[in-house]
């Protein structure tokens, strides 16, 4: 009995030491001796059995939070806000395990009017803003993350009704971008865009995300997702079509790099079906088809060269149906027909005989070639109709106009029409003067 009684006395003595030490930490906090209070509470927390006491964690939270708010002391404990937040979570966890009745849980926090968690949230945000203004973007990102974590924790416990913190999310994204952490920036920016934030200051976020997913990630689906969201939220902005085209251009570049023409053409089919009113993409598709049709880099043209050329003409004609004054399409379509005429005419060299049937074959080929030359003329004339009346032209348009005149000169030379040759030669020579 005597030994048992002594053990109980020792147990009570230990509890008394704990209570005295915690009370000392409280007194030091009350008298603003914060670093002494920190040293005292750290000693209390270091004892395993004390960690089961919710009040210990609560006062560690208050002491560290007070240090974080003190401009003279916070440099000595750079992670004071983080430690205060961690202690608060442990206080809530320990308290919930110990207290069964819900209305009695977090009593200390309720008595303080939830000041510690509000202080932690505000402290993280203010530190983030300070770091950001001083160009310390990594530190700013860490603190804005802390603010967001605190806000989400408050929401999870039912202490606030609004979970989403737009300002901290925005600045976490900006800080991450400035710290060259684009993946993290995308994470925070996407939360704003996914929430369909419509203030004018957020419009560039949607554009940034479209560019990021297109160029950084080669992720067409997500890039187009943010173009669609941006167009939905900012319907009056006229740049969405250009951004959408840029996304598709980047996607096509990826297919070009892979070198598989069938995959490239399949992608063009997908894009031109998705954008039936885009004269540019159907024109570019025609260009790609034609260039491949006449490609002899492997020693000979593709086996389906004629089929590819026919499809190229079809796409270029479609481009002109969409935009009748698209001079590039007119020039290329006319050039393809002109080249067909030249190729056809050159085959007469392979017919050497002088028999009537040989002479007839050559004559028929020349007649067919002449018909093709005539078929090409309206396309070059269309270029002149569009660009000729204009004043100052871009260098690219000047070249298109010159090429149209130059080919018309060649055609009329083939047809022995000197008046037409002279007229178009004069126009060709005057392009730089007039335009």
């Amino acid at each position: 009995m005597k030994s048992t009684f002594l053990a109980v006395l020792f147990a009570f003595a230990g509890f008394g030491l704990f209570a005295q030490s915690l009370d000392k930490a409280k007194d030091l906090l009350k008298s603003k001796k914060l670093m002494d209070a920190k040293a005292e509470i750290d000693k209390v927390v270091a004892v395993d059995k004390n960690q089961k006491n919710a009040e210990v964690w609560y006062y560690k939270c208050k002491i560290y939070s007070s240090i974080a708010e003190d401009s003279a002391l916070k440099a000595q404990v750079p992670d004071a806000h983080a430690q205060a937040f961690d202690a608060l979570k442990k206080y809530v966890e320990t308290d919930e395990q110990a207290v069964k009745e819900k209305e009695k849980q977090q009593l200390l926090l309720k008595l303080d009017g939830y000041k510690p968690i509000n202080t932690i949230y505000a402290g993280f945000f203010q530190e983030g803003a300070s770091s950001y203004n001083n160009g310390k973007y990594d530190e700013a990102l860490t603190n804005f993350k802390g603010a967001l974590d605190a806000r989400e924790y408050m929401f999870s416990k039912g202490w606030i009704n609004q979970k989403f913190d737009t300002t901290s999310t925005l600045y976490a994204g900006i800080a991450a971008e400035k710290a060259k952490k684009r993946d993290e920036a995308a994470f925070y920016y996407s939360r704003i865009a996914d929430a369909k934030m419509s203030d004018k200051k957020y419009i560039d976020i949607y554009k940034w995300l479209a560019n990021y997913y297109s160029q950084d990630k080669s992720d067409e689906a997500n890039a187009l997702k943010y173009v669609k969201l941006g167009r939905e939220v900012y319907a009056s902005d006229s740049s969405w079509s250009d951004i959408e085209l840029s996304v598709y251009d980047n996607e096509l570049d990826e297919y070009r790099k892979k070198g598989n023409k069938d995959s490239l053409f399949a992608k063009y089919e997908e894009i031109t079906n998705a954008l039936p009113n885009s004269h540019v993409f159907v024109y570019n598709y025609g260009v790609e088809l034609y260039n491949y049709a006449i490609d002899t880099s492997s020693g000979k043209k593709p086996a389906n060269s004629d089929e590819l050329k026919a499809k190229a003409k079809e796409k270029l004609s479609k481009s002109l149906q969409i935009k009748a004054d698209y001079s590039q399409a007119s020039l290329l379509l006319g050039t393809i027909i002109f080249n067909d005429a030249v190729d056809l005419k050159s085959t007469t060299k392979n017919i050497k005989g002088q028999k009537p049937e040989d002479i007839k074959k050559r004559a028929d080929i020349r007649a067919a070639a002449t018909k093709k030359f005539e078929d090409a003329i309206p396309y070059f004339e269309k270029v002149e109709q569009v660009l000729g009346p204009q004043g100052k032209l871009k260098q690219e348009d000047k070249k298109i106009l010159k090429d149209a005149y130059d080919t018309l000169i060649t055609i009329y030379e083939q047809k022995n029409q000197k008046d037409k040759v002279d007229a178009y030669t004069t126009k060709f020579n005057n392009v730089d003067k007039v335009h």
Side-chain angles (χ1 to χ4, degrees):
M1 287 293 293
K2 188 173 183 180
S3 61
T4 302
F5 178 68
L6 288 174
V8 172
L9 283 177
F10 283 131
F12 276 109
F15 178 78
L17 289 173
F18 155 71
Q20 289 174 12
S21 189
L22 180 58
D23 286 343
K24 184 176 180 182
K26 291 181 187 179
D27 290 340
L28 289 166
L29 170 64
K30 191 174 181 179
S31 60
K32 305 295 184 185
K33 296 178 180 179
L34 300 179
M35 294 308 289
D36 291 335
K38 172 187 176 301
E40 201 63 36
I41 199 67
D42 286 347
K43 287 191 290 185
V44 175
V45 171
V47 178
D48 288 346
K49 64 180 181 180
N50 295 344
Q51 294 173 15
K52 297 178 181 179
N53 187 300
E55 191 177 13
V56 169
W57 293 113
Y58 188 73
Y59 277 94
K60 177 177 179 180
C61 168
K62 291 192 69 169
I63 290 166
Y64 274 79
S65 182
S66 297
I67 290 170
E69 288 184 274
D70 190 304
S71 58
L73 297 178
K74 63 182 179 181
Q76 298 180 47
V77 191
D79 63 343
H81 278 127
Q83 291 219 47
F85 186 30
D86 185 58
L88 180 72
K89 289 187 284 187
K90 287 179 178 175
Y91 157 70
V92 171
E93 178 186 346
T94 307
D95 187 63
E96 286 176 348
Q97 290 173 354
V99 180
K100 298 299 182 184
E101 301 104 24
K102 192 171 182 179
E103 63 273 11
K104 292 183 180 179
Q105 288 176 0
Q106 296 103 50
L107 183 60
L108 292 172
L109 187 60
K110 290 172 183 175
L111 290 172
D112 268 344
Y114 295 91
K115 181 182 176 183
I117 185 60
N118 289 317
T119 299
I120 289 167
Y121 166 76
F124 273 128
F125 184 87
Q126 289 163 5
E127 286 292 321
S130 177
S131 297
Y132 181 87
N133 290 333
N134 288 310
K136 298 177 180 178
Y137 301 118
D138 282 303
E139 289 182 18
L141 176 59
T142 297
N143 281 296
F144 286 127
K145 282 181 179 179
L148 289 168
D149 288 345
R151 179 71 174 242
E152 289 182 11
Y153 186 74
M154 293 161 76
F155 179 79
S156 74
K157 293 300 177 183
W159 301 339
I160 56 172
N161 295 323
Q162 181 64 44
K163 177 182 180 181
F164 194 61
D165 180 356
T166 309
T167 305
S168 293
T169 303
L170 173 64
Y171 279 100
I174 295 172
E177 183 184 355
K178 288 184 176 293
K180 304 190 185 308
K181 296 179 176 179
R182 287 174 65 83
D183 290 351
E184 289 194 64
F187 172 78
Y188 292 107
Y189 287 157
S190 65
R191 294 179 73 178
I192 289 173
D194 290 345
K196 297 184 181 180
M197 293 294 176
S198 58
D199 190 287
K200 288 182 179 179
K201 67 185 176 184
Y202 301 128
I203 188 170
D204 286 337
I205 285 177
Y206 295 80
K207 297 176 182 179
W208 187 96
L209 285 165
N211 177 73
Y212 166 80
Y213 280 109
S214 176
Q215 296 190 5
D216 290 28
K217 298 299 179 182
S218 299
D219 183 348
E220 178 190 338
N222 269 315
L224 294 175
K225 168 189 171 181
Y226 288 107
V227 171
K228 182 180 178 182
L229 279 175
R231 184 180 278 132
E232 179 183 339
V233 178
Y234 302 97
S236 62
D237 190 279
S238 61
S239 65
W240 299 115
S241 293
D242 288 340
I243 297 170
E244 186 175 46
L245 296 180
S246 177
V247 169
Y248 283 124
D249 271 335
N250 288 330
E251 187 72 7
L252 287 167
D253 281 341
E254 291 300 315
Y255 278 86
R256 288 188 193 99
K257 290 172 186 175
K258 293 173 184 175
N260 186 309
K261 293 296 182 181
D262 289 338
S263 296
L264 176 62
F265 296 152
K267 192 64 190 178
Y268 263 115
E269 288 289 342
E270 180 186 326
I271 291 172
T272 52
N273 286 333
L275 302 173
N277 297 319
S278 172
H279 64 285
V280 173
F281 274 105
V282 73
Y283 166 79
N284 289 343
Y285 188 10
V287 172
E288 301 260 19
L289 287 164
Y290 182 64
N291 286 340
Y292 183 50
I294 63 173
D295 182 16
T296 58
S297 59
S298 64
K300 59 180 180 180
K301 294 178 183 178
N304 61 339
S305 177
D306 290 342
E307 180 187 334
L308 290 166
K309 281 200 286 186
K311 194 167 185 178
K313 291 176 187 176
E314 174 197 326
K315 298 304 175 185
L316 294 169
S317 296
K318 176 67 175 175
S319 178
L320 287 170
Q321 288 173 20
I322 298 168
K323 185 173 173 59
D325 62 351
Y326 192 38
S327 297
Q328 285 175 269
S330 293
L331 178 67
L332 182 55
L333 191 50
T335 300
I336 291 173
I337 298 170
F338 171 83
N339 289 341
D340 285 346
V342 172
D343 290 342
L344 181 60
K345 189 175 181 180
S346 69
T347 63
T348 60
K349 297 175 183 177
N350 300 324
I351 306 171
K352 305 293 185 182
Q354 294 301 316
K355 294 177 182 179
E357 59 266 29
D358 295 329
I359 294 171
K360 184 178 184 307
K361 281 182 183 178
R362 287 194 291 269
D364 288 346
I365 289 172
R366 290 191 187 99
T370 298
K371 174 67 170 62
K372 286 185 179 293
F373 282 134
E374 290 173 351
D375 289 344
I377 288 173
Y379 295 103
F380 299 120
E381 289 178 337
K382 181 65 176 179
V383 173
E384 181 186 33
Q385 290 169 15
V386 173
L387 298 179
Q390 296 184 31
K392 186 73 174 175
L393 292 175
K394 296 177 181 177
Q395 201 61 38
E396 179 185 3
D397 287 336
K398 278 187 187 181
K399 186 178 186 309
I400 290 171
L401 185 57
K402 279 187 171 183
D403 286 347
Y405 286 148
D406 189 40
T407 312
L408 284 168
I409 292 166
T410 303
I411 291 172
Y412 284 115
E413 284 175 342
Q414 296 289 319
K415 292 167 64 68
N416 292 315
Q417 291 184 240
K418 188 175 184 304
D419 58 331
K420 293 280 191 179
V421 172
D422 291 344
Y424 282 116
T425 299
T426 300
K427 289 182 177 183
F428 176 89
N429 292 333
N430 287 335
V431 168
D432 290 325
K433 298 175 187 176
V434 176
H435 302 287

